[in-house]
Amino acid sequence: MSDTNTNTDTDTDTDTDGTEARTDGSGGPGIVAPDDETPSWRERKERTTGLSRLTYEYFERARREDQDLRTESDYVERDVLAFPTWPHETVRNLSIAAFFTGMIFFLSATMPPHIGSPANPSSTPAIILPDWYLYWSFGLLKLGPLNPELAILGGEKITADRTYGVLANVVVVGFVAIVPFLNKGSARRPVEQPFWSAVGVGGIVFAFTISLLAVKNLMPMDVDLLFDLTFLLPIVATTVTYAVLKTMREGYMYDLNRRYYRLRPPK
Amino acid sequence: MSLKEKDDMDHEGWMKRKDLTPVESTFLVALIWMDKRLRIVDYLELLENLYYKVNMQMPKSHTEQYDLDNKFWYWYPLYALGSFSTLAYIVAAVSGALLGFYYAPAQTGDPSTAYNSITFIMTDLQFGFMLRSIHRWSAQVMVAAVFLHMLRVYFTGAYKEPRELNWLLGIVLISLTMVFGYTGYLLPWDQLAFWAGQIGVEMSLSIPLAGEWVAQLLFGGFTLGPATLQRMYILHVFLLPFVVTSLIAIHIGIVWVQGIAEPH
C-alpha cells in the first residue's frame, strides 16, 4: 500500500511542476556529468579491498611485466617477420586438407564395411570384439589373474575380477592424465628425457600387447605365454629405449652445447 | 518532448565529403547501419585489440630465435595430426548427418528396424554404401589420428607448462572420441553391436558404488533392449556432437592462444 501512495505522490509533484508525467521511470535525477571530483575508474579500482584489490594489483603487475618483456630485444612484431598466412600457409593447409580428405575417400571406396547378421540375444557368437581402438580397454578387463588374493581373507579377492578390470582402465587413463604434473622442466626431445621417453615407448608396446591379450582366442599362441609376454615385452622395450637414449644423449648434448656457444660465445 | 534526431556526428555528410569508391561507401553504409543497431564498433575495438595481441605481441618463437626452421619443418607431418583429426571429424559429421536422414533407431520387427535401415542404406539407397563407408572410415581415421596426435604431443614434451590444462582437455577429448566410436558401433544392431553392448553393460555394472546407476543412465537398464539403442542413438547424434564440437573448439582455441609447442 505504501508503495502505491509514494508513486501517487511523485506523480502529483511532477504535475505541479508543469512537466509531463513520464512513464519510463526516469523521474529521478538524470545522469550527472563527471566533474573533477568524480573518481576515475583507475581510482575506483585502487580503492577496492580484498580479492578485487588483489585482482587489480595482479593485473597491473602483469601488464607492467608484459611491457617490460615487449621492450626486450627478443620480442618481435610477428606480422612482419613470420611465415605469411596468406597465401603460403593457407594454400599449404588447403592442399594438405584436400589430400587427407581424398585419402579417407580412397579408403572408403576400396575397403567398404560389411554388416554382420542381425542381433540375436539367444546365440552368443564365438568372437565378441569391440572396435580395434578399444582392444586395450577390453584387454585390461582380462587382468583377472593379476587380481591379488589376500591371505588375510583366506585367499579371497577384495574386488571382483570385473571391477578390477574397470579400475585398471581408470588407473591407466589417470596416469596418462597426470603426466604433465609429474614430468616438469623444459626438455622437449626424447633424447633430452630418456626416462619419460622410455615410459612412453613402454606404454605404446603395452597398448599393443594388451590389445593382443584382448584377442587371445584368435592368437595362435599359448595363452599363458601370451599373458606373460604382455607384461614382459613392455618392460624390455622400456629398458632398451632407456639405454639407447641415455647413450645418444651424450653426443646430442655435445652437439647442442657447441651450437649454443657458437651462437652466444662465452665472454 | 521532441523526437527530432540530434545528430552530432553527421555520418552521411562525412561520407559525402570523403569521395568514396562504391565498395567503400557500400561497406560504410552497411557498417553504420549495423552499428546503429548492434553497437558493433565496441566489439570492433575488442577484435582489433585481439588482433594486435595475437599478431604483434607474441615473443619470438624458439625456432625464430635460433633459426631452427629446418628442424621444425622436418617434423611438420607429425604436427598436422591434430588438424587431420579435426578434418576427419568434419567429414564424419557431414556424412553422419546424411546417414541420419535414412537411419531409424527402432527395434520393432525381426530383424529390427535399425538393422533394416542399415541394409536399406547399403543396398537400395543411391550412394548409400559409399556414404556409410565414408562415415565409418572417417571415424576410424579420426581415432587413429587422435591416438597418434597424443603420442606426438607426449614424445615432443608439448604437454609441459603452460599446456597442462590442454593436455587434460585432450584426455577428455580422446575418451569422448572413443565413446563416440562405441555408441556408433552399436547403432547397426547386428550381432557384434549387440554383444559389444552386452560388454558395455557389464562394465558399467561392475563400477563400484555407482555401477547400477551408470548402467541405468547410459544403457537404459541392466539388459539390452530398445531403450539401449535409443540412448546410444541420442548420445551419438545429439549429445556428443555438441559436447565434442565445443571441446574441440576450446582445445584449438587454447592452442591458438598459447602457440604451437615447437621442438627445441
Side-chain angles (χ1 to χ4, degrees):
Chain A
M1 280 304 283
S2 62
D3 282 351
T4 330
N5 284 335
T6 328
N7 284 342
T8 327
D9 286 344
T10 326
D11 282 351
T12 328
D13 284 350
T14 44
D15 276 347
T16 48
D17 281 359
T19 49
E20 284 177 45
R22 296 187 184 180
T23 50
D24 59 354
S26 60
I31 297 167
V32 179
D35 56 10
D36 290 344
E37 287 174 20
T38 311
S40 67
W41 284 109
R42 164 182 288 265
E43 284 163 346
R44 281 174 215 235
K45 282 182 197 161
E46 276 167 357
R47 261 188 236 157
T48 54
T49 51
L51 287 181
S52 47
R53 166 83 192 173
L54 279 179
T55 314
Y56 165 72
E57 277 180 13
Y58 168 71
F59 279 141
E60 284 299 305
R61 289 179 55 82
R63 216 169 289 149
R64 214 173 305 135
E65 193 189 359
D66 277 2
Q67 195 54 46
D68 291 349
L69 275 173
R70 239 169 267 146
T71 49
E72 272 176 25
S73 61
D74 63 338
Y75 267 67
V76 68
E77 294 202 346
R78 262 292 168 93
D79 62 351
V80 180
L81 286 186
F83 197 73
T85 307
W86 174 263
H88 304 63
E89 181 72 21
T90 312
V91 166
R92 185 174 57 194
N93 285 354
L94 280 178
S95 50
I96 288 175
F99 175 75
F100 281 157
T101 317
M103 207 189 80
I104 292 174
F105 284 11
F106 177 77
L107 283 173
S108 32
T110 48
M111 286 177 274
H114 292 278
I115 188 165
S117 48
N120 181 4
S122 55
S123 84
T124 312
I127 298 163
I128 302 174
L129 280 181
D131 242 354
W132 57 269
Y133 46 80
L134 287 173
Y135 282 5
W136 61 272
S137 173
F138 197 47
L140 287 175
L141 296 180
K142 302 188 175 178
L143 292 183
L146 285 187
N147 195 353
E149 298 166 15
L150 294 188
I152 308 172
L153 298 176
E156 280 189 34
K157 297 177 174 180
I158 285 187
T159 57
D161 281 351
R162 271 195 333 193
T163 315
Y164 189 75
V166 172
L167 285 179
N169 274 284
V170 175
V171 167
V172 167
V173 175
F175 175 75
V176 176
I178 60 168
V179 161
F181 306 99
L182 299 177
N183 178 19
K184 297 187 177 263
S186 60
R188 278 290 162 74
R189 297 186 168 209
V191 270
E192 293 170 346
Q193 35 181 357
F195 174 75
W196 283 98
S197 307
V199 169
V201 170
I204 295 176
V205 174
F206 182 63
F208 275 105
T209 52
I210 198 81
S211 301
L212 291 183
L213 184 69
V215 293
K216 62 185 171 190
N217 47 2
L218 299 182
M219 292 290 290
M221 199 175 185
D222 181 39
V223 174
D224 290 330
L225 179 63
L226 182 63
F227 194 85
D228 294 341
L229 281 182
T230 301
F231 301 97
L232 284 180
L233 282 183
I235 294 172
V236 170
T238 308
T239 318
V240 170
T241 315
Y242 185 75
V244 168
L245 287 179
K246 195 85 175 162
T247 317
M248 279 172 67
R249 185 157 80 162
E250 303 291 320
Y252 173 78
M253 288 312 287
Y254 173 76
D255 215 40
L256 201 71
N257 284 335
R258 204 179 49 175
R259 188 202 290 252
Y260 180 79
Y261 287 118
R262 204 182 280 157
L263 214 68
R264 299 196 166 163
K267 283 163 193 164
Chain B
M1 258 177 73
S2 86
L3 291 169
K4 206 185 110 204
E5 207 171 329
K6 288 179 213 140
D7 200 355
D8 287 339
M9 300 297 292
D10 181 13
H11 295 306
E12 282 183 28
W14 170 70
M15 277 179 65
K16 271 184 199 120
R17 267 178 277 129
K18 288 284 278 186
D19 187 28
L20 300 163
T21 64
V23 174
E24 286 170 335
S25 56
T26 314
F27 171 73
L28 269 182
V29 165
L31 186 67
I32 291 167
W33 192 89
M34 292 289 283
D35 185 46
K36 276 193 178 149
R37 283 146 186 87
L38 302 174
R39 299 294 312 156
I40 47 175
V41 165
D42 296 351
Y43 304 99
L44 275 183
E45 201 176 314
L46 275 180
L47 283 181
E48 194 184 40
N49 207 345
L50 196 68
Y51 173 82
Y52 279 100
K53 287 218 164 87
V54 169
N55 283 296
M56 314 287 259
Q57 300 178 1
M58 292 293 279
K60 219 182 211 178
S61 74
H62 192 89
T63 45
E64 278 166 341
Q65 201 169 344
Y66 295 102
D67 196 17
L68 296 173
D69 281 9
N70 48 348
K71 292 278 186 295
F72 182 56
W73 299 122
Y74 179 70
W75 290 106
Y76 189 78
L78 295 181
Y79 281 72
L81 281 166
S83 57
F84 190 16
S85 45
T86 314
L87 209 69
Y89 180 69
I90 292 169
V91 173
V94 172
S95 57
L98 293 176
L99 281 176
F101 293 156
Y102 303 101
Y103 175 81
Q107 264 194 31
T108 47
D110 183 40
S112 56
T113 310
Y115 187 84
N116 281 339
S117 53
I118 300 284
T119 3
F120 166 75
I121 288 170
M122 287 174 67
T123 53
D124 294 338
L125 181 67
Q126 284 283 358
F127 204 61
F129 199 4
M130 184 62 181
L131 203 56
R132 176 165 184 240
S133 188
I134 288 174
H135 189 66
R136 192 178 156 76
W137 271 108
S138 54
Q140 307 274 320
V141 163
M142 180 185 170
V143 177
V146 165
F147 267 103
L148 294 175
H149 174 60
M150 190 178 84
L151 291 186
R152 196 280 293 168
V153 168
Y154 181 87
F155 283 107
T156 56
Y159 52 79
K160 292 186 174 181
E161 189 190 314
R163 299 185 173 82
E164 299 98 327
L165 289 179
N166 222 12
W167 170 264
L168 288 181
L169 188 50
I171 300 287
V172 172
L173 269 174
I174 199 176
S175 314
L176 287 181
T177 307
M178 287 187 282
V179 176
F180 233 134
Y182 179 77
T183 50
Y185 192 70
L186 293 202
L187 291 187
W189 211 243
D190 54 356
Q191 274 288 67
L192 274 178
F194 183 87
W195 293 99
Q198 196 67 41
I199 293 170
V201 172
E202 276 168 26
M203 268 180 84
S204 32
L205 278 177
S206 50
I207 296 171
L209 302 178
E212 297 191 352
W213 188 77
V214 171
Q216 192 70 254
L217 182 71
L218 288 182
F219 294 93
F222 302 151
T223 51
L224 297 186
T228 315
L229 190 54
Q230 191 71 38
R231 285 183 191 216
M232 289 297 131
Y233 180 69
I234 290 301
L235 281 178
H236 192 77
V237 306
F238 183 75
L239 199 62
L240 284 175
F242 280 112
V243 175
V244 171
T245 306
S246 9
L247 286 184
I248 288 177
I250 297 172
H251 194 70
I252 294 175
I254 293 177
V255 170
W256 187 346
V257 169
Q258 296 185 329
I260 308 284
E262 292 155 311
H264 285 195

